[in-house]
Amino acid sequence: MFTIGDFARYGRVSARMLRHYDAIGLLHPDRTDPATGYRFYGAGQLSRLNRVIALKDLGFTLQQVQAILDEQVGPEELRGMLRLRRAELEEAMRAAAARLAQVEARLRSIESEGRMSTNDVVVKQVPAVRVAELSGIAASYGPEHITPVIGPLYERLFPLLGGTGVRPSGPGIAYYEDAPEGGAVVVHAGVTVSAPVGPVGDTGITVVELPAIEAATIVHHGSMDGVLPTSQALAHWIDANGYRSRGYSREVSLECPEDRSKWVTELQEPITGA
């Protein structure tokens, strides 16, 4: 038998918490000394304590925990519940990391106002190019909506393309256009190919020809989650030099290693007039 202090230490909880669990009938001690009121626990009670803590971490109230335990939830069912909670927490962490990246990008954009060089902007004639692409819909042009759409599109594109005999002949090119639904954006994830225009078998891939454009271009270094300062520097240059934008920038992947911080991407924004 263990004193309440020892049992609390083995269970990695507080003695105060154990007293509360006793008071509400969730976990009674094995024995209470009638003279002193001291509580004593057995090692076998650690199993119930572990389940209490696990279910609390799943988000259940103590009343719900008691109801579940009284129904004798088995180890396998409890493991399943914990796996589900783990998946939810992992997704929350991914979402929080994505939000943090967006905040950092916005902060860098604010900090670089008036200081980010536009000397590297080049106006050039971009020839027509054919791309094999998959497309999807994002709720907006914000990175929090674009990234979850474009990533899976590229993850599907290359394996599907590999089974068709159509081989990439140049860089990846992503481009965007407004969707019929207000605020939504059509995301096109493509790669340069030399192939006839039209569907590629029954893969869902389509080869399209992007028209030649006059573009203001700038090279972005790093993950596209942090592209905001670069794209806004391009916007400042376009405005300062008397041009007008004709739509979304094309994103041409010049270097795309596994380490996203080492990506090199050219933004090609179609422009008119000077």
Side-chain angles (χ1 to χ4, degrees), residues 114-169:
R115 295 190 294 105
M116 187 166 183
S117 173
T118 58
N119 293 336
D120 295 329
V121 175
V122 175
V123 174
K124 61 185 179 182
Q125 299 297 321
V126 177
V129 60
R130 289 186 181 181
V131 297
E133 66 169 46
L134 293 172
S135 61
I137 302 293
S140 79
Y141 193 49
E144 71 275 14
H145 294 136
I146 295 295
T147 299
V149 174
I150 198 167
L153 288 176
Y154 270 117
E155 289 172 4
R156 290 172 49 213
L157 176 64
F158 290 105
L160 287 172
L161 202 59
T164 66
V166 176
R167 297 290 179 263
S169 59

Side-chain angles (χ1 to χ4, degrees), residues 53-60 80-99:
I53 301 304
L55 290 169
K56 275 185 58 185
D57 288 343
L58 282 170
F60 292 106
M81 296 167 71
L82 288 171
R83 291 190 189 103
L84 176 61
R85 179 57 175 163
R86 180 178 64 188
E88 292 172 347
L89 291 172
E90 288 172 346
E91 178 57 33
M93 289 172 64
R94 283 192 291 269
R99 287 195 298 272

Side-chain angles (χ1 to χ4, degrees), residues 20 26 41 59 67 80 93 114 134 161 184 189 269:
H20 180 59
L26 185 57
Y41 295 81
M93 289 172 64
L134 293 172
L161 202 59
E269 184 149 345

Side-chain angles (χ1 to χ4, degrees), residues 40-209:
F40 296 92
Y41 295 81
Q45 292 184 281
L46 288 170
S47 175
R48 184 175 177 92
L49 178 60
N50 288 337
R51 282 163 169 73
V52 169
I53 301 304
L55 290 169
K56 275 185 58 185
D57 288 343
L58 282 170
F60 292 106
T61 67
L62 291 180
Q63 290 76 16
Q64 292 170 325
V65 169
Q66 185 162 7
I68 292 170
L69 292 181
D70 288 345
E71 291 296 321
Q72 298 297 311
V73 174
E76 188 58 38
E77 185 178 357
L78 185 56
R79 279 194 292 269
M81 296 167 71
L82 288 171
R83 291 190 189 103
L84 176 61
R85 179 57 175 163
R86 180 178 64 188
E88 292 172 347
L89 291 172
E90 288 172 346
E91 178 57 33
M93 289 172 64
R94 283 192 291 269
R99 287 195 298 272
L100 179 59
Q102 294 156 25
V103 169
E104 289 175 342
R106 191 70 64 174
L107 180 59
R108 285 194 298 272
S109 182
I110 292 170
E111 290 174 340
S112 65
E113 286 176 359
R115 295 190 294 105
M116 187 166 183
S117 173
T118 58
N119 293 336
D120 295 329
V121 175
V122 175
V123 174
K124 61 185 179 182
Q125 299 297 321
V126 177
V129 60
R130 289 186 181 181
V131 297
E133 66 169 46
L134 293 172
S135 61
I137 302 293
S140 79
Y141 193 49
E144 71 275 14
H145 294 136
I146 295 295
T147 299
V149 174
I150 198 167
L153 288 176
Y154 270 117
E155 289 172 4
R156 290 172 49 213
L157 176 64
F158 290 105
L160 287 172
L161 202 59
T164 66
V166 176
R167 297 290 179 263
S169 59
I173 301 178
Y175 68 101
Y176 310 90
E177 59 185 341
D178 291 326
E181 302 82 5
V185 173
V186 182
V187 179
H188 299 271
V191 64
T192 307
V193 295
S194 298
V197 171
V200 180
D202 59 356
T203 61
I205 298 172
T206 304
V207 175
V208 300
E209 185 162 290

